[in-house]
Amino acid sequence: MGRLLIALVMCALCACQPAYAGSIPRDAEQYRRTLVRAAHAEWGLDAPIATLAAQVHQESAWRANARSQVGAQGLAQFMPTTSAWMAQLYPHTLGANQPFNPGWALRALVTYDRWLSQRIQARGPCEKWAFVLSAYNGGLGWVQKDTRQASAKGADKLAWFDSVERHNAGRSAANFRENRNYPRAILLRWEPLYAAAGWGAGVCAPRYSL
């Protein structure tokens, strides 16, 4: 009876463990230091590591050889034209175009995020990263069009959640759904997992740390 009681207690304790424990791919730890180095080099020591890790999770689930049906490649899932453009834009930082090289892919991801961030204004880090991620997924031009439409209709152009994200300046229904899911999945689903697992604070912590 005593052994049965202990077993039941252990099962209950296991059931209470955070869900993230089995949700972060094993390969994430393999590339963690590479991501941290790349992020610190581009964003400084306060780089949002948990946020960036969540983005890689959403893009490729940390599979360095990932290839999407539309041709996106590597950990960062850049399309060939985007990776070639990044290599040309930052030849000294990135070197030759190598989308399937984990180090190159992670450096390119954090560099592109930074490039987008410098061209976006928003209310605070969480909102800004939502804009950045939407642009990473679907293009900065579309984010700018959506923002103009939102502003014209009286919405807050500096807020993504429940504001600009509700406006579609012409994307197809499928592309619109995918693009709107992208920031939410990264910031509100995956970021908390990495933050709870010790990857650092996330930019949207106030939204889920209540």
Side-chain angles (χ1 to χ4, degrees), residues 20-97:
Y20 67 79
S23 301
I24 296 178
R26 184 176 302 175
D27 285 342
E29 196 61 40
Q30 176 182 349
Y31 301 123
R32 181 173 180 172
R33 290 184 180 179
T34 304
L35 174 63
V36 170
R37 285 196 300 269
H40 285 169
E42 187 63 37
W43 291 83
L45 295 180
D46 59 348
I49 306 299
T51 308
L52 293 164
Q55 184 181 6
V56 179
H57 187 121
Q58 178 68 17
E59 283 290 348
S60 61
W62 295 94
R63 293 177 293 115
N65 63 347
R67 188 190 297 268
S68 77
Q69 293 181 346
V70 297
Q73 302 171 334
L75 286 174
Q77 286 292 279
F78 278 154
M79 294 296 288
T81 53
T82 303
S83 61
W85 172 68
M86 287 295 294
Q88 290 180 346
L89 192 62
Y90 296 99
H92 301 296
T93 304
L94 300 178
N97 181 13

Side-chain angles (χ1 to χ4, degrees), residues 107-124:
R107 289 195 304 273
L109 179 141
V110 301
T111 301
Y112 188 32
D113 282 343
R114 183 67 168 169
W115 185 90
L116 291 168
S117 177
Q118 292 170 339
R119 289 157 176 79
I120 290 172
Q121 293 183 334
R123 297 190 187 284

Side-chain angles (χ1 to χ4, degrees), residues 116-118 120-133:
L116 291 168
S117 177
Q118 292 170 339
I120 290 172
Q121 293 183 334
R123 297 190 187 284
C126 183
E127 299 287 353
K128 185 162 190 171
W129 267 93
F131 279 102
V132 167
L133 293 170

